[in-house]
Amino acid sequence: MNQNSVIPPQPFFFPRASSSVIGTTVIRTPQFRFIILFHRFSSSSSYSLTTPAKTTAKNQQKTSHQQKQPRRFASSHPSSDSDSPRVLIWRQSHRQMESLAQLEAMCERLYNSQDSSERAMAENTLRCFSVNAEYIPQCQYILDNALTPYALMLASSSLLKQVTEHSLPLQLRLDIRNYLINYLATRGPELQHFVIQSLIQLLCRLTKFGWLHDDKFRDVVTESMSFLTQATPQHYAIGLKILNQLVTEMNQPIPGLAPTQHRRASYSFRDHALLQIFQISLSSLQQLKNDASSRLQELSLSLSLGCLCFDFVGASIDESSEEFGTVQIPSSWKSLLEDPSTLQLFFDYYAISPLPLSKEALECLVRLASVRRSLFTNDASRVKFLAHLMMGTKEILQSGQGLAQHENYHEFCRLLGRFRVNYQLSELVNVDVYRDWIHLVAEFTLKSLQSWQWTSSSVYHLLGLWSRMVSSVPYLKADAPSLLDEFVPKITEGFIASRFDSVQSQDDPLENPLDNVELLQDQLDCFPSLCRFQYEACSVYIIKMMEPMLQKYNEIAQLQAYDNTELSIIEAKLAWIIHIIAAIMKIRQCVGSSAESQEVIDAELSARVLQLINVTDSGLHSQRYAEVGKQRLDRAVLTFFQNFRKSYVGDHAINSSKLYGRLSELLGLQDHLILLNVIVSKIATNLKFYTESEEVIGHTLKLFLELASGYMIGKQLLKLDSVKFLVSNHTREHFPFLEDHRCSRNRTTFYYTLGWLIFVEDSPIKFNSAMEPLAKVFLALESTPDAVFRSAPAKYSLIGLMRDLRGIVMATNSRRTYGQLFEWLYPAHLPLLLRGISHWADSPEVTTPLLKFMAEFVLNKAQRLTFDSSSVNGILLFREVSKLLVAYGSRIMSCPNVADIYSFKYKGIWICLTILTRALVGNYCNFGVFELYGDSALADALDIALKMILSIPLADVLAFRKLTRAYFAFVDVLFKSHMTFILNSDSSAFMHFVGSLESGLRDLDTTISSQCASAVDELATYYFNNITMREAPPSQAAVNLAQRIAECPTLFLEILKTLFQIVLFEDYGSQWSLSRPMLSLILLSEQIFTDLQAHLLASQPVEQHQRLALCFDKLMADITRTLEPKNRDRFTQNLNVFKNEFRTK
């Protein structure tokens, strides 16, 4: 390497150890005494570069001082009665080496020790390097002098954390950056890989943070190219690594950088540097094509892939997903992508490279195949690009090179699948090689289907391609044949055959795709269009495959016993066929045939499934509900009913005469009402006999709910005898799953569905009749003595009753239906809830469903809780709520904490807060009545809620998301409607609330932050109206607020700082909600706004102060000292302008 091309590393904090005198400081830990070298600055806060002349002067002063204060050392060291400066420097150098050796030993223990306590001790001792900015100089000393890679790693990672988490001066960051470039040039080739990578990450992090602040940071691309011009492969590799990490760093959000700043830096990098980097990667690939060093080739390919995967438009694509849309490459890349050599380079690398390089080459091709249509100059250049892609994939298909490796195979399937994203069938057929290409793709697809063992995760990309081409056939106007008629039927048959083969050879029953019905249907989404392309031929094949199994399954039902393994295989094959038919029923499209002819074929396939239903619950099969194979088959049947209902049951039935005509001929099912009875009978059978399969019960109830929640179908269901039986006999004797604790969660769905059916008709008699089974449970529990009430039977009976009632309440969506239920419950049965809480407060298994029922019962959705003006029901309901909350809160807080504190305590508390919040905002109770008439219900409820809140540390409130949402929703309501309660509470409670609001403002959940902003606005508005604008506080609550602010005068200022930081430096979705409290706080006093302005200006460069001061003037332009809506709206507009101008460089 030419040593003259790169300047040796220069110190960015202080001169190298050889040119200055180094002092020592001692860090003591309980188990370790450790000496760390540091340079003594005249000011500990100064990081300015010390010139050699100044350093010499300081050294001379230091030496002079030491000569006046002679020290004696052990006899092993040179000594004299009066030590010379040379001796002093020798002694200090000796101490330096000893201290550095200790640090290196500790770093090795930190990274290599097998003893966790030893690692923890080392981490605790060395943490100061990464958290304390005063230790930044020591990191350079370590980089300059340490010999072990672990010490270098400590210094690099510590600097990375310092740069990310601390706002370092701009000049210091530039000095660090320059030092790193030179350090990598001189010492990089001899360093360990992980040290190099850490240093490069630090360099790129500095570059990103400074990209918008100084153009010198942008020179990193040019400086990286200097590494590529050096003679050694090591320097070449370092240059490529820098560019790789730079692209990654610029593309990914960083915790220490606001999202808005990240996007600005990312877009600027995209516009000014990314194309140059991509060109560098292509040039490197071209130069290295014949190079034996695969490592350099891998780095170059990785760099190309990183450029192509860049988030060009800020879409924030989920990297865990393989799916992505069109690649929005900038127009400036046009000539590069239209150049045939660019595409051919990656095809060449696939051909000449082993894994993993061949896979990365294919990934680059996948991205190139997805570039936006508008990028190309004209249609001719786009067709040329497409032809090149098709020719390259055709050659790979012909040779089969690399496709035996699964990674290459999967990526190649993705490449073929991308043809469906950007290209129409009409474009494909006009390419010269289309006939050969489509033939090879069809062969490849069929071979993939036959090799189902290792292609299951890849074949769906191929099916997606064929599905897209089939869907485009009606729009194909070209004379060139598509040849799809020849290949699509073979592919559909191959897919079905492959599913049967997979059943026959299933090795791991725990990973059966039939167990995840939702995922299975997603995977089958592409298949129906292939089947309906030549539907008649496809249906004939399906029926041909299905009928022998139907006959065999029917014969087995007549037997007393049969081989369980063989029967499970038959059931699995039938399940696959039914899932395929269900997927076909999901869509009704006409490709190649009329709608009426397709309905007839739908009837033919549906008839086979309905024939199977008559067999599944008879004979030997009726004894196999506990078998997994039987459960999979029944879930397939339920999926079929779900999809069939959407197309042919209900409002759609009138347009399906051909289907029902054919079903009448085959099975005697003349209309959809008879078919509806078949579906409900299957639902009732499943609910009756499946007592242990929560999956089947849940799937059955989902179908039942879909049927019942439709208005027209709901009325039709009530005409069926099976539904009438369900509504009147919903007991555990008829449906044993209600007694199984594993299915207890499904009880709510079951009664939610029944509730829909119960409330369809406005008949109090029928309502009371339907509620009779629940009334019996109420009476049994109410008559249970206290001594027995804590028994297991009473416990599970109460749990089930609460889940059942919650389902019924969920189904009440009108004043009429809610009123019926309220009169049925109150006052006869609600006291049981209070009794249950009193006896079972320490059992979350009981309290959770009970409290969730009450949370649903007090929710005023669709204005269902609307009582007559002369009714006291709203007040009576809140009094019951108050009793329940006081009973639960007083008992749960007296219980000792357990390991799982969330389930035991916090969960019940957040449900209580939800109950009280919903009751307070329900608008069905005038809360002023309670104080007027001396009723303590409201005060008791608020007091117990406050006590429960204060019993939970704020850190825990913020840690558990459901608790967080419930807490801030409750706080928002308190500040809006019950400000007096907050202000009359003690000082610690008030500070807890206000302190939590500041934390909530920073929450990523927009709903929570908006609630906190609203609460802050309510508080500031109250202060403005009652204290700022008045000579004296008009009430005791206002006096209390004035006293609280006097005790903590910076309270409002700190909140205002937080609000401005969010608006200016973060990407917040609802600026309007933040602008309200900002104006309220600014108007409280001029001093607050002045202090805020000084704080924000101090955080910005001095040269920007004048411009930013003008921004603040514009912010308050035309703003008056009022909180009227017009003034607030004007401030919101000014704030938007202020934000944009403040962010401008």
Side-chain angles (χ1 to χ4, degrees), residues 988-1009:
S988 61
F990 175 81
M991 296 306 298
H992 177 89
F993 279 128
V994 178
S996 67
L997 291 178
E998 190 171 355
S999 300
L1001 287 171
R1002 298 185 178 276
D1003 198 281
L1004 297 178
D1005 189 330
T1006 307
T1007 301
I1008 292 176
S1009 55

Side-chain angles (χ1 to χ4, degrees), residues 815 866-872:
R815 177 180 177 182
T866 304
F867 300 109
D868 293 335
S869 58
S870 59
S871 173
V872 295

